[in-house]
Amino acid sequence: MTNIAHSYVVASSNNAPSLGRCGGFVAQYPQDAFHLPARRTSVPEARRRVSALLCEWGADQQVRDDVELVVSELFTNAVRHTESEKVGCELTLVGTHIRIEVTDQGGPGVTAPHVQPGTLDQECGRGLFLVGALSDGWGSRPTDGGQGRIVWADLPYTGTAAH
């Protein structure tokens, strides 16, 4: 059985407008994060961890399937296209959405991820197209230290929240 630690975050005041308020205080949201070695064998482990977490949170099956696919694609990209030693994954449930953030450690010449033209007919390269199709929005930003990237996606969430 996978041991998953849960935490609840309170947004800082500068994030409060984007996250919403509850009774004058910023509401707490279920959150979980983990790091795995940047190896192809870590991708199925990331899917397993996400699946177990979403089951605990009471996510509907379609949500679990979609989030597992997005995590798999983003994690695979971080392993394949960066020189990272480890890759991080964070899930945060915010109202009717779940935020997925996959963090890499970058490397020389690593650029922001983007959908490749003509990827629908190709064997590889469809990952970000799928991420875009399943999410209400996605993008990337440099990490606070500037040595890597955070690729995020917001997906619709249905089910019960962890308390």
Side-chain angles (χ1 to χ4, degrees):
M1 180 172 204
T2 305
N3 184 11
I4 298 177
H6 301 288
S7 61
Y8 292 86
V9 295
V10 176
S12 63
S13 58
N14 60 343
N15 289 334
S18 64
L19 296 175
R21 293 188 169 266
C22 179
F25 294 95
V26 177
Q28 294 182 348
Y29 300 104
Q31 179 184 50
D32 190 67
F34 59 88
H35 288 86
L36 294 171
R39 295 191 297 250
R40 288 185 313 177
T41 55
S42 294
V43 175
E45 176 62 22
R47 273 195 311 267
R48 279 190 292 276
R49 287 180 183 227
V50 166
S51 178
L53 176 68
L54 292 174
C55 281
E56 284 188 33
W57 283 0
D60 292 342
Q61 184 64 51
Q62 186 63 53
V63 172
R64 293 194 311 260
D65 293 345
D66 291 351
V67 171
E68 284 179 46
L69 178 58
V70 168
V71 166
S72 182
E73 294 298 337
L74 296 181
F75 215 91
T76 297
N77 284 350
V79 169
R80 280 183 151 175
H81 301 296
T82 72
E83 296 179 6
S84 301
E85 292 182 18
K86 65 180 180 176
V87 176
C89 181
E90 183 174 308
L91 300 173
T92 307
L93 185 58
V94 182
T96 60
H97 284 86
I98 187 161
R99 166 66 59 107
I100 302 164
E101 293 186 351
V102 173
T103 305
D104 65 53
Q105 296 170 315
V110 175
T111 60
H114 58 280
V115 176
Q116 298 291 326
T119 56
L120 287 179
D121 298 330
Q122 297 174 351
E123 183 87 13
C124 294
R126 290 181 275 200
L128 292 177
F129 177 81
L130 292 171
V131 170
L134 293 173
S135 66
D136 287 342
W138 73 276
S140 71
R141 66 182 184 277
T143 59
D144 288 340
Q147 296 299 312
R149 293 205 77 68
I150 299 168
V151 182
W152 59 268
D154 290 333
L155 276 70
Y157 178 88
T158 53
T160 58
H163 295 287

